[in-house]
Amino acid sequence: MSVLKLKGWGIKMNILLAFAPFIVFVIIERAVGVLEGLAAGAIVSAGLVLRDWISPERRVKLMETGTFVLFAGLTLYAPMVDGESWTISEARLRVDTGLLFIILLTLALRRPFTLAYAREKEPEYVWKARSFARMKYAIAAAWALAFAVMAATDALLVYRPQLPQGIAIAVTLAALAGAMKFTAWYRDRMWATTSR
């Protein structure tokens, strides 16, 4: 396996790790309850922020900080508005929409969340290249699209609760798998064209 492929795998794993609070939220929410899932998401995201803050090789990232604010805020907000009675679709709609907003915010600030991970793995001359930045915008946009599809599905299930919850599971898995596949494919394609 080439050095570039190993670096690419590490960046993909770091991006996937950024979504760990979401994954933990879904698991705990289904097994225990909405409030517990939100709190678990807040704890995991706090751990990621703390890891980046104390590590000399890492920087605190907007994605992890935003995810912590989202989960902590929803954990505090839910009991005030009887959030324990939120359906799974209502809770997921709030979380998926929040994560979509965070990704869109990183794009609007011209700091796509994917670039922060690349900066930890690539030398400065690589991540300052225009083609590299374009690649990171495209990958962040793919993740935004995945969360937009998931939020739209959650909204559909909120307004059509008679539909099976399995739809949300299938769409979530397909959207996340699609974003991961696109990340790998587009990165490999860009590296192949720039290394010619």
Side-chain angles (χ1 to χ4, degrees):
M1 188 176 276
S2 74
V3 173
L4 287 177
K5 287 206 181 246
L6 283 174
K7 280 185 176 182
W9 179 250
I11 292 168
K12 285 183 260 186
M13 290 308 296
N14 279 335
I15 291 172
L16 191 57
L17 188 60
F19 294 111
F22 169 76
I23 295 165
V24 169
F25 159 73
V26 169
I27 293 168
I28 300 298
E29 169 202 46
R30 289 218 173 249
V32 182
V34 169
L35 193 55
E36 293 83 356
L38 292 171
I43 291 167
V44 171
S45 58
L48 292 174
V49 171
L50 182 63
R51 174 199 68 166
D52 288 349
W53 187 59
I54 63 174
S55 174
E57 301 91 37
R58 297 179 181 274
R59 293 182 181 181
V60 176
K61 296 168 197 66
L62 186 57
M63 186 69 182
E64 275 91 1
T65 304
T67 302
F68 171 68
V69 169
L70 171 68
F71 278 109
L74 286 173
T75 300
L76 296 173
Y77 176 71
M80 291 187 240
V81 295
D82 196 27
E84 292 178 25
S85 67
W86 288 344
T87 64
I88 290 173
S89 297
E90 290 170 330
R92 289 197 44 183
L93 177 60
R94 287 167 173 86
V95 170
D96 290 345
T97 303
L99 288 170
L100 171 60
F101 175 77
I102 293 166
I103 294 170
L104 292 175
L105 179 63
T106 69
L107 289 168
L109 293 173
R110 301 178 62 112
R111 294 173 56 201
F113 80 95
T114 52
L115 190 56
Y117 300 97
R119 286 182 174 177
E120 291 180 348
K121 301 285 182 193
E122 303 290 349
E124 186 174 351
Y125 74 90
V126 171
W127 47 264
K128 284 199 170 189
R130 194 173 293 208
S131 61
F132 192 77
R134 190 171 40 247
M135 175 179 61
K136 293 304 169 186
Y137 276 98
I139 291 171
W143 284 96
L145 178 61
F147 276 93
V149 167
M150 290 162 49
T153 303
D154 297 333
L156 175 66
L157 290 171
V158 166
Y159 296 106
R160 300 276 185 164
Q162 69 273 19
L163 294 173
Q165 284 291 320
I167 292 173
I169 294 168
V171 168
T172 296
L173 292 174
L176 293 176
M180 284 188 280
K181 291 256 186 216
F182 179 81
T183 299
W185 171 81
Y186 194 70
R187 184 178 194 287
D188 290 346
R189 179 176 170 259
M190 289 300 290
W191 281 120
T193 59
T194 57
S195 63
R196 286 181 191 161

